[in-house]
Amino acid sequence: MFRSSIGLLEQQGAPLVNLREIDINVTNTCNLECIYCSYSSRPAKSEPSLSRQSICKILDEAAEMGNKAVHFSGGEPALRSDMHELIAYGASCGFKMRLLSNGTLLSRPALQELWNSGLRQVMISLDGFECNHNLHRSNSGAYAKTIQAIENAALLGYDVRVNSVATTLNVDEIPHLLPVLADMRVKTFSVFYCVPVGRGRDVLDLMVPPTRWRQFIHEMRAMVEIHAPEHMEVTVEKVFVWADEWVDGNLLQSGRGGSCLGFLDECNYVNILADGRVYPCVCFIDQAPPLGNILARPLSEILHDAASWAFYWSLAATNSTCKTCFLLPQCRGGSRALSKIVAEDWFAIDPRCSGHPQAQGFMPVCFMLRENVTTGTRSGFAEQVLAETVK
């Protein structure tokens, strides 16, 4: 397929670096093996983990760069015996922190220790009711432990966010989780699309089709109107923007959520893996070269070095079909990572698109773009779609 530059060669270099959020995978070891895990985490001691010294160094550098939020992820971060110390250090740096967990190890004493260290927010994964959740977790006892963790966290006063990854197996029942979570005093319920990264590449058939995804969002909106109390916010990943929404004008933004290559306009988020590699988006982690490695170079040096971004600038080229599309200024060629995963070609048409978006009635957008199902507010960051009015 012919590849045509979009005239950005003279602009190549480090993008504007304006960090607001960092995800740190403190370990890639996990007590579960979820069927779609983006990081292919597993219960093996041989999986990499960042040292406490390395994590504290990242936190120091992030604070100097003006970063606002840090999410401790994995693998399963609760496996670390020093997690409370890392939380305490992050609190001393002034970060807004969240622990991302499958919940099975978050007993009440464990949550109390983390609370005492300064943690106030947890995000716990729940992929349906018992049968579906355990199926997605590849563990027959995961559901009961996860539900208990959600209840424990809410009772202790945590700002609890529950996230579900919607697949073709559980998309019908996820809306029905909402009233259950509302009764448990969950503050935020977020639904993610199943992105085929990591082990997700082996289950491409779990990706929800476009029309079903739109129907699902309508179902979530209806459920919110009936069951969501005032204290609860509900968000979904947008994934597709439909023709009747194109009148919104500029649907995208710079940075995270602003198309697959939004980070070339503004780097406001990075994902640091358990082996130290730095990526501008999770979708690239098993396909593209990293920006660098924090075990070899300081984070600021990596992000401000034009050479770090050279590969990603090469993706600013586009194919001949996309080049002539009237939606290119907004779509920017769709998901380069998904094209590589499915078609083995960075510049193939996004597999979610036929090449004729007007005929199909929608265009694909960045997987990270989220929408508040009540207000319609959109952002690449969860906090920016909560408790706001539509702009």
Side-chain angles (χ1 to χ4, degrees), residues 4-69:
S4 171
S5 170
I6 57 175
L8 294 174
L9 292 177
E10 70 281 1
Q11 301 178 31
Q12 290 186 15
L16 171 67
V17 178
N18 185 25
L19 280 184
R20 60 166 288 132
E21 182 180 300
I22 297 177
D23 282 4
I24 304 177
N25 292 40
V26 296
T27 181
N28 205 53
T29 302
C30 188
N31 58 320
L32 301 178
E33 288 188 271
C34 301
I35 60 176
Y36 55 73
C37 179
S38 297
Y39 303 103
S40 300
S41 302
R42 60 196 180 103
K45 293 182 179 179
S46 59
E47 290 294 300
S49 293
L50 288 168
S51 70
R52 189 188 317 172
Q53 180 181 10
S54 295
I55 295 171
C56 290
K57 183 180 179 183
I58 294 169
L59 296 176
D60 288 338
E61 293 175 6
E64 291 177 4
M65 296 173 70
N67 185 65
K68 305 300 182 186

Side-chain angles (χ1 to χ4, degrees), residues 268-287:
N268 50 20
Y269 163 87
V270 292
N271 189 179
I272 301 176
L273 304 189
D275 60 4
R277 287 178 293 154
V278 181
Y279 281 93
C281 176
V282 64
C283 294
F284 288 94
I285 62 171
D286 54 2
Q287 299 293 318

Side-chain angles (χ1 to χ4, degrees), residues 6-170:
I6 57 175
L8 294 174
L9 292 177
E10 70 281 1
Q11 301 178 31
Q12 290 186 15
L16 171 67
V17 178
N18 185 25
L19 280 184
R20 60 166 288 132
E21 182 180 300
I22 297 177
D23 282 4
I24 304 177
N25 292 40
V26 296
T27 181
N28 205 53
T29 302
C30 188
N31 58 320
L32 301 178
E33 288 188 271
C34 301
I35 60 176
Y36 55 73
C37 179
S38 297
Y39 303 103
S40 300
S41 302
R42 60 196 180 103
K45 293 182 179 179
S46 59
E47 290 294 300
S49 293
L50 288 168
S51 70
R52 189 188 317 172
Q53 180 181 10
S54 295
I55 295 171
C56 290
K57 183 180 179 183
I58 294 169
L59 296 176
D60 288 338
E61 293 175 6
E64 291 177 4
M65 296 173 70
N67 185 65
K68 305 300 182 186
V70 171
H71 296 168
F72 293 109
S73 182
E76 175 49 55
L79 283 168
R80 290 188 66 126
S81 61
D82 62 350
M83 199 63 239
H84 64 290
E85 297 177 48
L86 296 174
I87 292 294
Y89 196 87
S92 72
C93 294
F95 291 122
K96 184 176 182 179
M97 293 176 294
R98 178 178 285 131
L99 187 77
L100 280 57
S101 173
N102 61 46
T104 59
L105 303 177
L106 293 182
S107 63
R108 190 180 180 94
L111 285 164
Q112 186 66 64
E113 182 179 43
L114 294 171
W115 177 278
N116 294 343
S117 299
L119 186 67
R120 294 295 181 268
Q121 297 183 329
V122 293
M123 184 167 85
I124 299 174
S125 300
L126 181 68
D127 287 341
F129 293 104
E130 186 167 12
C131 182
N132 249 322
H133 180 76
N134 290 343
L135 174 64
H136 286 75
R137 293 284 175 264
S138 300
N139 185 293
S140 60
Y143 179 79
K145 293 177 181 178
T146 298
I147 290 294
Q148 188 63 61
I150 295 170
E151 292 177 342
N152 288 338
L155 288 172
L156 286 170
Y158 275 97
D159 176 338
V160 182
R161 177 180 168 189
V162 169
N163 74 279
S164 297
V165 174
T167 70
T168 54
L169 300 175
N170 64 7

Side-chain angles (χ1 to χ4, degrees), residues 231-246:
H231 74 267
M232 191 177 195
E233 301 279 357
V234 180
T235 71
V236 296
E237 289 184 334
K238 186 65 177 166
V239 191
F240 310 97
V241 173
W242 296 82
D244 58 7
E245 299 173 308
W246 294 344

Side-chain angles (χ1 to χ4, degrees), residues 202-245:
D202 301 326
V203 288
L204 289 172
D205 58 327
L206 295 187
M207 296 174 66
V208 180
T211 53
R212 180 65 186 96
W213 189 250
R214 190 180 204 196
Q215 179 187 355
F216 164 74
I217 294 177
H218 289 325
E219 291 167 1
M220 290 293 292
R221 188 171 291 116
M223 193 66 74
V224 166
E225 291 176 357
I226 299 172
H227 294 288
E230 291 184 2
H231 74 267
M232 191 177 195
E233 301 279 357
V234 180
T235 71
V236 296
E237 289 184 334
K238 186 65 177 166
V239 191
F240 310 97
V241 173
W242 296 82
D244 58 7
E245 299 173 308

